[in-house]
Amino acid sequence: MFELDIRSRTPIYEQLVEKFVELIVTGVLKADEQLPSVRTLATQVTINPNTIQKAYRELEVKGYIYSVKGKGSYVKASEFIQDDSKKVEALAKLDKAIKEALYLGVSPEELLLHIKKQIN
Amino acid sequence: MFELDIRSRTPIYEQLVEKFVELIVTGVLKADEQLPSVRTLATQVTINPNTIQKAYRELEVKGYIYSVKGKGSYVKASEFIQDDSKKVEALAKLDKAIKEALYLGVSPEELLLHIKKQIN
DNA sequence: CTAAGTGTACTATTATGCGTAGTACAGTTA
DNA sequence: TAACTGTACTACGCATAATAGTACACTTAG
């Protein structure tokens, strides 16, 4: 499903969180789609189920998934994340990314073109 | 100069790196401007000089600053970072930020407006 | 009803990385 | 030459990450 970088300084459970967030916001994983179970994914990526559970818990706290004991974990529909503070946080992150790209030599025109391509 | 979050999970030296990058890409720190010395900053923020040195080394590896033994550390002019792989990396980061903002309910119009404001 | 799945939580252990303290060397400059 | 600068090293303690193991509660299909 995806590969983890064991040697990365980023903890394994954080890498999992990042990858699931990416799959969710890009629509690869859709609302109410079931995630692999903690034990199944643990076997697939050869890490401890507790580590998976830690990632799933963080995804739940952040509002990307919901879990039902005995049933599984599911992608949460995005309209349930109508949390303005998360929007603000996302825009702040975007601001940093824009400034960094401009500083590294991406022209404003190139940037806008790139962004428009992303939006459609 | 800036405050560090001792309780953050992000290591102190990484927080330093992030803050310096922010100051550099926003133009607060300009090309060839000298950074505070390792020992001075250590005293200012009350952490060990070795920790500062670790942050400065990472900034240097990433190409944001250069250091001269016996003299000091300076902001590197951005045109010296004409490294296409960094541009690609920056745009990838931007892509993630865009997708996350859209997912969290920011409308494409709102997003474009926001970005245009940032560019000017 | 039961077996096989699911999530969740806990303890204990180990390894790794972070930050510190201390020290020392090499370079610059007034 | 003194006072600054960067750089590098060792050793230590602490916190966190990941693991192994175990167990409980819920769901569901047969």
Tab-separated table of all heavy atoms in Angstrom, chain A residues 15-55:
chain	number	residue	atom	x	y	z
A	15	GLN	N	4.588	8.917	9.949
A	15	GLN	CA	4.623	8.673	8.504
A	15	GLN	C	3.288	8.091	8.047
A	15	GLN	O	2.759	8.451	6.990
A	15	GLN	CB	5.753	7.706	8.145
A	15	GLN	CG	7.149	8.287	8.356
A	15	GLN	CD	8.238	7.295	7.965
A	15	GLN	OE1	8.221	6.711	6.890
A	15	GLN	NE2	9.196	7.092	8.852
A	16	LEU	N	2.762	7.175	8.846
A	16	LEU	CA	1.462	6.581	8.533
A	16	LEU	C	0.374	7.655	8.498
A	16	LEU	O	-0.454	7.682	7.580
A	16	LEU	CB	1.090	5.511	9.569
A	16	LEU	CG	1.808	4.180	9.449
A	16	LEU	CD1	1.618	3.369	10.721
A	16	LEU	CD2	1.297	3.407	8.238
A	17	VAL	N	0.386	8.513	9.507
A	17	VAL	CA	-0.611	9.590	9.568
A	17	VAL	C	-0.523	10.442	8.303
A	17	VAL	O	-1.540	10.704	7.646
A	17	VAL	CB	-0.395	10.467	10.824
A	17	VAL	CG1	-1.248	11.731	10.755
A	17	VAL	CG2	-0.722	9.689	12.086
A	18	GLU	N	0.690	10.850	7.961
A	18	GLU	CA	0.884	11.699	6.777
A	18	GLU	C	0.389	11.033	5.508
A	18	GLU	O	-0.250	11.658	4.668
A	18	GLU	CB	2.365	12.053	6.629
A	18	GLU	CG	2.813	13.181	7.546
A	18	GLU	CD	4.316	13.262	7.705
A	18	GLU	OE1	5.031	12.713	6.813
A	18	GLU	OE2	4.785	13.827	8.690
A	19	LYS	N	0.680	9.758	5.372
A	19	LYS	CA	0.267	9.060	4.154
A	19	LYS	C	-1.239	8.890	4.073
A	19	LYS	O	-1.841	9.038	2.999
A	19	LYS	CB	0.975	7.718	4.061
A	19	LYS	CG	2.449	7.874	3.690
A	19	LYS	CD	3.124	6.544	3.451
A	19	LYS	CE	4.645	6.689	3.432
A	19	LYS	NZ	5.167	7.571	2.363
A	20	PHE	N	-1.862	8.576	5.185
A	20	PHE	CA	-3.318	8.455	5.168
A	20	PHE	C	-3.970	9.808	4.885
A	20	PHE	O	-4.937	9.884	4.119
A	20	PHE	CB	-3.823	7.859	6.492
A	20	PHE	CG	-3.825	6.354	6.483
A	20	PHE	CD1	-2.953	5.640	7.289
A	20	PHE	CD2	-4.695	5.643	5.659
A	20	PHE	CE1	-2.941	4.253	7.276
A	20	PHE	CE2	-4.687	4.249	5.638
A	20	PHE	CZ	-3.808	3.558	6.442
A	21	VAL	N	-3.453	10.855	5.503
A	21	VAL	CA	-4.007	12.191	5.233
A	21	VAL	C	-3.917	12.494	3.740
A	21	VAL	O	-4.868	12.983	3.132
A	21	VAL	CB	-3.263	13.285	6.039
A	21	VAL	CG1	-3.622	14.679	5.527
A	21	VAL	CG2	-3.607	13.177	7.517
A	22	GLU	N	-2.771	12.157	3.154
A	22	GLU	CA	-2.594	12.419	1.721
A	22	GLU	C	-3.600	11.643	0.883
A	22	GLU	O	-4.204	12.183	-0.051
A	22	GLU	CB	-1.169	12.030	1.327
A	22	GLU	CG	-0.812	12.475	-0.064
A	22	GLU	CD	0.651	12.213	-0.383
A	22	GLU	OE1	1.449	12.023	0.553
A	22	GLU	OE2	0.981	12.209	-1.587
A	23	LEU	N	-3.798	10.382	1.217
A	23	LEU	CA	-4.753	9.571	0.467
A	23	LEU	C	-6.178	10.092	0.628
A	23	LEU	O	-6.988	10.018	-0.298
A	23	LEU	CB	-4.681	8.099	0.931
A	23	LEU	CG	-3.390	7.356	0.598
A	23	LEU	CD1	-3.371	5.987	1.270
A	23	LEU	CD2	-3.209	7.212	-0.903
A	24	ILE	N	-6.480	10.619	1.797
A	24	ILE	CA	-7.827	11.122	2.062
A	24	ILE	C	-8.068	12.457	1.340
A	24	ILE	O	-9.082	12.623	0.656
A	24	ILE	CB	-8.076	11.261	3.585
A	24	ILE	CG1	-8.121	9.866	4.224
A	24	ILE	CG2	-9.359	12.025	3.863
A	24	ILE	CD1	-8.079	9.864	5.740
A	25	VAL	N	-7.127	13.411	1.489
A	25	VAL	CA	-7.389	14.733	0.888
A	25	VAL	C	-7.303	14.697	-0.636
A	25	VAL	O	-7.829	15.585	-1.297
A	25	VAL	CB	-6.452	15.831	1.449
A	25	VAL	CG1	-6.578	15.906	2.961
A	25	VAL	CG2	-5.029	15.660	1.014
A	26	THR	N	-6.629	13.704	-1.200
A	26	THR	CA	-6.591	13.614	-2.661
A	26	THR	C	-7.758	12.775	-3.201
A	26	THR	O	-7.915	12.632	-4.409
A	26	THR	CB	-5.285	12.952	-3.147
A	26	THR	OG1	-5.117	11.686	-2.509
A	26	THR	CG2	-4.096	13.835	-2.863
A	27	GLY	N	-8.553	12.241	-2.298
A	27	GLY	CA	-9.721	11.489	-2.762
A	27	GLY	C	-9.445	10.036	-3.107
A	27	GLY	O	-10.338	9.309	-3.536
A	28	VAL	N	-8.233	9.616	-2.924
A	28	VAL	CA	-7.921	8.197	-3.162
A	28	VAL	C	-8.730	7.344	-2.190
A	28	VAL	O	-9.296	6.319	-2.551
A	28	VAL	CB	-6.404	7.920	-2.984
A	28	VAL	CG1	-6.121	6.434	-3.085
A	28	VAL	CG2	-5.608	8.687	-4.035
A	29	LEU	N	-8.804	7.777	-0.950
A	29	LEU	CA	-9.692	7.155	0.028
A	29	LEU	C	-10.903	8.061	0.168
A	29	LEU	O	-10.748	9.264	0.397
A	29	LEU	CB	-8.988	7.002	1.390
A	29	LEU	CG	-7.866	5.969	1.480
A	29	LEU	CD1	-7.242	5.985	2.864
A	29	LEU	CD2	-8.390	4.576	1.164
A	30	LYS	N	-12.071	7.490	0.025
A	30	LYS	CA	-13.291	8.293	0.044
A	30	LYS	C	-14.045	8.167	1.338
A	30	LYS	O	-13.816	7.257	2.135
A	30	LYS	CB	-14.177	7.881	-1.139
A	30	LYS	CG	-13.474	8.198	-2.445
A	30	LYS	CD	-14.135	7.568	-3.622
A	30	LYS	CE	-13.442	7.977	-4.921
A	30	LYS	NZ	-11.974	7.825	-4.894
A	31	ALA	N	-14.963	9.095	1.510
A	31	ALA	CA	-15.758	9.134	2.735
A	31	ALA	C	-16.415	7.775	2.978
A	31	ALA	O	-16.945	7.139	2.075
A	31	ALA	CB	-16.825	10.216	2.638
A	32	ASP	N	-16.346	7.349	4.237
A	32	ASP	CA	-16.947	6.106	4.722
A	32	ASP	C	-16.279	4.838	4.181
A	32	ASP	O	-16.750	3.735	4.443
A	32	ASP	CB	-18.466	6.065	4.441
A	32	ASP	CG	-19.168	7.181	5.195
A	32	ASP	OD1	-18.881	7.336	6.416
A	32	ASP	OD2	-19.963	7.914	4.589
A	33	GLU	N	-15.197	5.018	3.430
A	33	GLU	CA	-14.434	3.853	2.998
A	33	GLU	C	-13.693	3.294	4.200
A	33	GLU	O	-13.179	4.040	5.045
A	33	GLU	CB	-13.441	4.275	1.911
A	33	GLU	CG	-12.705	3.096	1.295
A	33	GLU	CD	-11.946	3.496	0.042
A	33	GLU	OE1	-12.305	4.504	-0.598
A	33	GLU	OE2	-10.985	2.792	-0.290
A	34	GLN	N	-13.680	1.966	4.309
A	34	GLN	CA	-13.024	1.348	5.454
A	34	GLN	C	-11.512	1.295	5.281
A	34	GLN	O	-11.002	1.012	4.207
A	34	GLN	CB	-13.572	-0.061	5.685
A	34	GLN	CG	-12.982	-0.732	6.910
A	34	GLN	CD	-13.774	-1.945	7.370
A	34	GLN	OE1	-14.727	-2.352	6.705
A	34	GLN	NE2	-13.383	-2.504	8.502
A	35	LEU	N	-10.814	1.591	6.352
A	35	LEU	CA	-9.361	1.463	6.361
A	35	LEU	C	-9.008	0.015	6.676
A	35	LEU	O	-9.808	-0.709	7.260
A	35	LEU	CB	-8.761	2.364	7.442
A	35	LEU	CG	-8.408	3.808	7.073
A	35	LEU	CD1	-9.556	4.525	6.424
A	35	LEU	CD2	-7.982	4.547	8.327
A	36	PRO	N	-7.804	-0.406	6.291
A	36	PRO	CA	-7.391	-1.754	6.704
A	36	PRO	C	-7.368	-1.836	8.230
A	36	PRO	O	-7.105	-0.842	8.899
A	36	PRO	CB	-5.978	-1.893	6.130
A	36	PRO	CG	-5.584	-0.552	5.636
A	36	PRO	CD	-6.796	0.291	5.488
A	37	SER	N	-7.666	-2.992	8.734
A	37	SER	CA	-7.681	-3.135	10.190
A	37	SER	C	-6.264	-2.972	10.734
A	37	SER	O	-5.269	-3.141	10.015
A	37	SER	CB	-8.249	-4.485	10.601
A	37	SER	OG	-7.253	-5.492	10.482
A	38	VAL	N	-6.220	-2.676	11.994
A	38	VAL	CA	-4.950	-2.469	12.688
A	38	VAL	C	-4.042	-3.685	12.503
A	38	VAL	O	-2.875	-3.573	12.168
A	38	VAL	CB	-5.241	-2.228	14.187
A	38	VAL	CG1	-3.989	-2.391	15.011
A	38	VAL	CG2	-5.867	-0.860	14.381
A	39	ARG	N	-4.603	-4.872	12.679
A	39	ARG	CA	-3.785	-6.091	12.590
A	39	ARG	C	-3.397	-6.393	11.145
A	39	ARG	O	-2.258	-6.797	10.879
A	39	ARG	CB	-4.564	-7.273	13.182
A	39	ARG	CG	-4.738	-7.171	14.699
A	39	ARG	CD	-5.670	-8.260	15.196
A	39	ARG	NE	-5.892	-8.176	16.649
A	39	ARG	CZ	-6.764	-7.380	17.237
A	39	ARG	NH1	-7.518	-6.566	16.512
A	39	ARG	NH2	-6.914	-7.367	18.546
A	40	THR	N	-4.323	-6.192	10.225
A	40	THR	CA	-4.024	-6.458	8.818
A	40	THR	C	-2.904	-5.563	8.323
A	40	THR	O	-1.940	-6.029	7.702
A	40	THR	CB	-5.284	-6.210	7.955
A	40	THR	OG1	-6.324	-7.069	8.407
A	40	THR	CG2	-5.000	-6.479	6.488
A	41	LEU	N	-3.034	-4.269	8.591
A	41	LEU	CA	-2.013	-3.328	8.119
A	41	LEU	C	-0.674	-3.618	8.788
A	41	LEU	O	0.379	-3.512	8.161
A	41	LEU	CB	-2.457	-1.889	8.402
A	41	LEU	CG	-1.568	-0.807	7.793
A	41	LEU	CD1	-1.444	-0.974	6.281
A	41	LEU	CD2	-2.104	0.574	8.119
A	42	ALA	N	-0.737	-4.000	10.055
A	42	ALA	CA	0.492	-4.325	10.780
A	42	ALA	C	1.243	-5.444	10.063
A	42	ALA	O	2.461	-5.381	9.887
A	42	ALA	CB	0.166	-4.748	12.205
A	43	THR	N	0.491	-6.451	9.659
A	43	THR	CA	1.111	-7.562	8.937
A	43	THR	C	1.645	-7.099	7.580
A	43	THR	O	2.751	-7.465	7.188
A	43	THR	CB	0.085	-8.695	8.738
A	43	THR	OG1	-0.411	-9.095	10.015
A	43	THR	CG2	0.713	-9.893	8.053
A	44	GLN	N	0.861	-6.272	6.899
A	44	GLN	CA	1.257	-5.803	5.562
A	44	GLN	C	2.549	-4.992	5.586
A	44	GLN	O	3.405	-5.167	4.724
A	44	GLN	CB	0.152	-4.940	4.965
A	44	GLN	CG	-1.012	-5.751	4.416
A	44	GLN	CD	-2.168	-4.871	3.998
A	44	GLN	OE1	-2.191	-3.676	4.292
A	44	GLN	NE2	-3.142	-5.462	3.328
A	45	VAL	N	2.670	-4.078	6.540
A	45	VAL	CA	3.862	-3.228	6.551
A	45	VAL	C	4.915	-3.695	7.569
A	45	VAL	O	5.926	-3.053	7.752
A	45	VAL	CB	3.507	-1.750	6.799
A	45	VAL	CG1	2.691	-1.208	5.635
A	45	VAL	CG2	2.749	-1.569	8.090
A	46	THR	N	4.630	-4.829	8.196
A	46	THR	CA	5.584	-5.446	9.124
A	46	THR	C	5.958	-4.513	10.266
A	46	THR	O	7.143	-4.255	10.524
A	46	THR	CB	6.862	-5.902	8.376
A	46	THR	OG1	6.517	-6.444	7.115
A	46	THR	CG2	7.580	-7.010	9.178
A	47	ILE	N	4.955	-3.937	10.869
A	47	ILE	CA	5.203	-3.236	12.123
A	47	ILE	C	4.118	-3.593	13.128
A	47	ILE	O	3.132	-4.221	12.783
A	47	ILE	CB	5.295	-1.708	11.948
A	47	ILE	CG1	3.986	-1.128	11.427
A	47	ILE	CG2	6.441	-1.325	11.035
A	47	ILE	CD1	4.051	0.382	11.349
A	48	ASN	N	4.330	-3.182	14.335
A	48	ASN	CA	3.486	-3.602	15.440
A	48	ASN	C	2.092	-2.990	15.362
A	48	ASN	O	1.944	-1.816	15.038
A	48	ASN	CB	4.179	-3.189	16.746
A	48	ASN	CG	3.662	-3.969	17.914
A	48	ASN	OD1	2.718	-3.542	18.544
A	48	ASN	ND2	4.261	-5.105	18.201
A	49	PRO	N	1.071	-3.787	15.643
A	49	PRO	CA	-0.302	-3.261	15.628
A	49	PRO	C	-0.489	-2.051	16.539
A	49	PRO	O	-1.278	-1.154	16.230
A	49	PRO	CB	-1.146	-4.451	16.112
A	49	PRO	CG	-0.322	-5.647	15.811
A	49	PRO	CD	1.105	-5.225	15.936
A	50	ASN	N	0.247	-2.014	17.638
A	50	ASN	CA	0.125	-0.860	18.539
A	50	ASN	C	0.567	0.430	17.852
A	50	ASN	O	0.044	1.507	18.129
A	50	ASN	CB	0.960	-1.080	19.810
A	50	ASN	CG	0.370	-2.156	20.694
A	50	ASN	OD1	-0.846	-2.323	20.743
A	50	ASN	ND2	1.224	-2.880	21.389
A	51	THR	N	1.562	0.302	16.993
A	51	THR	CA	2.046	1.458	16.247
A	51	THR	C	0.986	1.939	15.263
A	51	THR	O	0.766	3.138	15.103
A	51	THR	CB	3.357	1.110	15.514
A	51	THR	OG1	4.299	0.603	16.462
A	51	THR	CG2	3.950	2.332	14.821
A	52	ILE	N	0.323	0.989	14.589
A	52	ILE	CA	-0.766	1.337	13.682
A	52	ILE	C	-1.880	2.020	14.469
A	52	ILE	O	-2.428	3.040	14.063
A	52	ILE	CB	-1.375	0.072	13.017
A	52	ILE	CG1	-0.314	-0.797	12.348
A	52	ILE	CG2	-2.460	0.465	12.035
A	52	ILE	CD1	0.306	-0.211	11.133
A	53	GLN	N	-2.211	1.426	15.603
A	53	GLN	CA	-3.288	1.957	16.424
A	53	GLN	C	-2.982	3.391	16.851
A	53	GLN	O	-3.874	4.242	16.912
A	53	GLN	CB	-3.485	1.061	17.662
A	53	GLN	CG	-4.439	1.606	18.712
A	53	GLN	CD	-5.844	1.801	18.196
A	53	GLN	OE1	-6.199	1.196	17.183
A	53	GLN	NE2	-6.622	2.634	18.871
A	54	LYS	N	-1.720	3.661	17.125
A	54	LYS	CA	-1.310	5.022	17.502
A	54	LYS	C	-1.557	5.996	16.351
A	54	LYS	O	-2.054	7.106	16.559
A	54	LYS	CB	0.169	5.012	17.912
A	54	LYS	CG	0.632	6.344	18.446
A	54	LYS	CD	1.942	6.210	19.226
A	54	LYS	CE	2.399	7.586	19.706
A	54	LYS	NZ	3.520	7.506	20.647
A	55	ALA	N	-1.247	5.555	15.142
A	55	ALA	CA	-1.488	6.402	13.960
A	55	ALA	C	-2.987	6.621	13.766
A	55	ALA	O	-3.438	7.745	13.521
A	55	ALA	CB	-0.881	5.752	12.722
